[in-house]
Amino acid sequence: MTPEERIAELGFELPQPVTPLAAYVPTARTGDLVYTSGQVPMLEGKLHQTGKLGVDLGVDEGKAQARICVLNALAALKAELGELSRVRRIVKVVVFVASAPSFTEQPQVANGASDFLAEVFGEAGKHARSAVGVAALPLDAPVEVELIAEVS
């Protein structure tokens, strides 16, 4: 089963790649590594939700937003590679969580990204990760995800 088929089996659709919002490219490749730019939870050209974790959104909502970010990162990867089966493994994921000062559950929000990657790629989806709380993200996004993939 291809990663695209697995995404569909999980009940999701790989979107069209998000058009960059500023002066950057969606992916940058060097050797066997592809870095994605940070992806916010855009659906059909607009943010799915806005706000901060611990104020406007709970952990479960944050996890869902992280999953949307990963779908957008995978769309960028597919545009770079032609097919996601060229991903050998996900090496690193960084999850930025717009958070209230007292919110400390960034790792649980980041699990929305990590768990989804493991569901799509199996063992190859398990990765190193950072989960970082920040004061604000572009467009008032609640979550932003970037990843590094080893590819063939």
Side-chain angles (χ1 to χ4, degrees):
M1 179 177 295
T2 68
E4 291 89 344
E5 291 168 338
R6 182 69 179 131
I7 290 167
E9 183 180 80
L10 292 167
F12 298 96
E13 184 177 321
L14 201 60
Q16 291 298 311
V18 175
T19 302
L21 303 173
Y24 61 88
V25 294
T27 60
R29 184 172 181 168
T30 181
D32 292 346
L33 298 176
V34 177
Y35 294 70
T36 69
S37 292
Q39 299 289 323
V40 295
M42 299 290 276
L43 284 176
E44 299 176 5
K46 63 181 184 169
L47 280 177
H48 183 253
Q49 285 188 293
T50 61
K52 290 188 178 18
L53 276 290
V55 176
D56 308 301
L57 294 92
V59 171
D60 288 340
E61 291 169 302
K63 289 170 77 170
Q65 297 308 295
R67 186 175 49 242
I68 294 169
C69 294
V70 166
L71 282 164
N72 287 326
L74 294 177
L77 272 177
K78 182 173 179 161
E80 173 73 24
L81 301 171
E83 59 185 60
L84 291 177
S85 60
R86 293 187 56 202
V87 173
R88 281 192 251 171
R89 75 172 298 194
I90 303 298
V91 177
K92 172 84 184 223
V93 175
V94 181
V95 181
F96 300 96
V97 182
S99 309
S102 62
F103 186 82
T104 60
E105 297 178 86
Q106 290 85 0
Q108 288 74 27
V109 171
N111 283 345
S114 295
D115 292 345
F116 189 69
L117 287 164
E119 288 180 292
V120 171
F121 293 104
E123 283 298 310
K126 295 183 179 177
H127 50 268
R129 183 183 84 188
S130 298
V132 182
V134 298
L137 289 167
L139 306 176
D140 196 27
V143 182
E144 181 173 342
V145 175
E146 61 183 50
L147 58 83
I148 302 168
E150 180 184 10
V151 301
S152 60

